[in-house]
């Protein structure tokens, strides 16, 4: 499912940013895909921490092969002897178990997430072991379809901005933030296209 703001965001950014327009035009048939399943998105984000999109996809496929449908109860009951051979580190096994248990124990609270602000959701999610700001931001983008997320610590985003806005040379934090500000209120769209231009596979969480 594509976010309902996607086409409007593409049009707005294409009009104001020539560099981004060329990327959007190059990948005109591609779009962000939303899962509509909070647990799925967060679990996949944990798996994707600090590894490439291709590597994360490989681990995910192995996990699905052994777990079937990715659900809190299923993962909570799978121990490390089953999960580690999928390519998960010991830490990520702990993180997935913490996530699964949080979902099992906080169903009413989780149902309120769509009505909460980005800041409040990030604050709540980062209380779960293994979920930092980046993982929470991926959830906002791919789980809740929030249009204006700018994951400033994301290496792919930074690499894309350096490549397209400064000939591959590093930029200051303030300079990167300024580019993101020019994309408001569709920073999620700009971020996704920075990723798309770097990787042979579209980013999905």
């Amino acid at each position: 499912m594509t976010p309902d703001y996607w086409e409007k965001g593409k049009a707005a950014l294409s009009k104001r940013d020539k560099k981004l327009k060329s990327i959007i035009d190059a990948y005109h048939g591609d779009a962000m895909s939303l899962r509509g399943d909070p647990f799925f998105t967060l679990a996949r984000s944990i798996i994707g921490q600090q590894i490439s999109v291709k590597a994360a996809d490989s681990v995910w496929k192995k996990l699905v092969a052994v777990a079937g449908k990715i659900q809190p109860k299923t993962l909570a009951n799978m121990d490390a002897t089953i999960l580690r051979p999928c390519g998960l580190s010991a830490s990520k096994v702990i993180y997935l178990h913490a996530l699964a248990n949080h979902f099992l124990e906080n169903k009413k609270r989780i149902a309120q997430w769509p009505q909460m602000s980005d800041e409040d959701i990030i604050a709540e999610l980062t209380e779960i072991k293994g979920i930092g700001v980046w993982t929470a931001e991926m959830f906002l983008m791919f789980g809740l379809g929030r249009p204006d997320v700018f994951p400033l610590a994301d290496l792919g985003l930074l690499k894309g901005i350096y490549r397209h806005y400064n000939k591959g040379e590093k930029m200051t934090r303030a300079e990167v933030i300024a580019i993101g500000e020019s994309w408001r209120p569709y920073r999620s769209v700009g971020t996704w296209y920075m990723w798309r231009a770097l990787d042979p596979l579209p980013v999905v969480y």
Side-chain angles (χ1 to χ4, degrees), residues 159-172:
K159 184 176 180 181
I161 287 176
Y162 298 161
R163 175 181 294 181
H164 296 287
Y165 293 86
N166 203 40
K167 299 180 180 179
E169 296 296 322
K170 288 187 176 181
M171 301 165 70
T172 67

Side-chain angles (χ1 to χ4, degrees), residues 59-72:
V59 173
W60 185 260
K61 286 176 180 177
K62 292 174 184 176
L63 180 60
V64 170
V66 299
K69 191 171 182 180
I70 305 300
Q71 297 177 324

Side-chain angles (χ1 to χ4, degrees), residues 8-9 12 31 47 99 108 124 126 154 163 198:
K8 188 176 180 180
I47 288 171
L99 177 68
K108 289 184 178 180
E124 181 169 331
T126 51
D154 185 88
R163 175 181 294 181
L198 284 176

Side-chain angles (χ1 to χ4, degrees), residues 23-94:
I23 298 170
I24 291 171
D25 289 345
Y27 298 96
H28 66 276
D30 295 341
M32 182 189 293
S33 179
L34 304 181
R35 294 294 186 179
D37 181 337
F39 184 76
F40 183 107
T41 299
L42 285 165
R44 185 153 183 133
S45 296
I46 286 172
I47 288 171
Q49 291 172 358
Q50 299 180 326
I51 61 175
S52 70
V53 174
K54 185 176 181 180
D57 192 55
S58 175
V59 173
W60 185 260
K61 286 176 180 177
K62 292 174 184 176
L63 180 60
V64 170
V66 299
K69 191 171 182 180
I70 305 300
Q71 297 177 324
K73 188 174 181 179
T74 302
L75 285 190
N77 291 329
M78 296 175 69
D79 64 27
T81 60
I82 299 173
L83 295 174
R84 288 294 304 279
C86 295
L88 291 164
S89 66
S91 295
K92 288 185 180 180
V93 170
I94 293 171

Side-chain angles (χ1 to χ4, degrees), residues 160-204:
I161 287 176
Y162 298 161
R163 175 181 294 181
H164 296 287
Y165 293 86
N166 203 40
K167 299 180 180 179
E169 296 296 322
K170 288 187 176 181
M171 301 165 70
T172 67
R173 180 183 176 89
E175 288 170 334
V176 173
I177 289 173
I179 289 171
E181 289 297 310
S182 74
W183 295 346
R184 282 185 183 272
Y186 299 110
R187 290 182 295 172
S188 296
V189 179
T191 295
W192 190 87
Y193 278 104
M194 288 294 102
W195 291 332
R196 187 67 192 91
L198 284 176
D199 206 285
L201 295 173
V203 176
V204 179

Side-chain angles (χ1 to χ4, degrees), residues 148-160:
D148 197 35
V149 180
F150 192 65
L152 191 55
D154 185 88
L155 296 180
L157 170 63
L158 294 176
K159 184 176 180 181

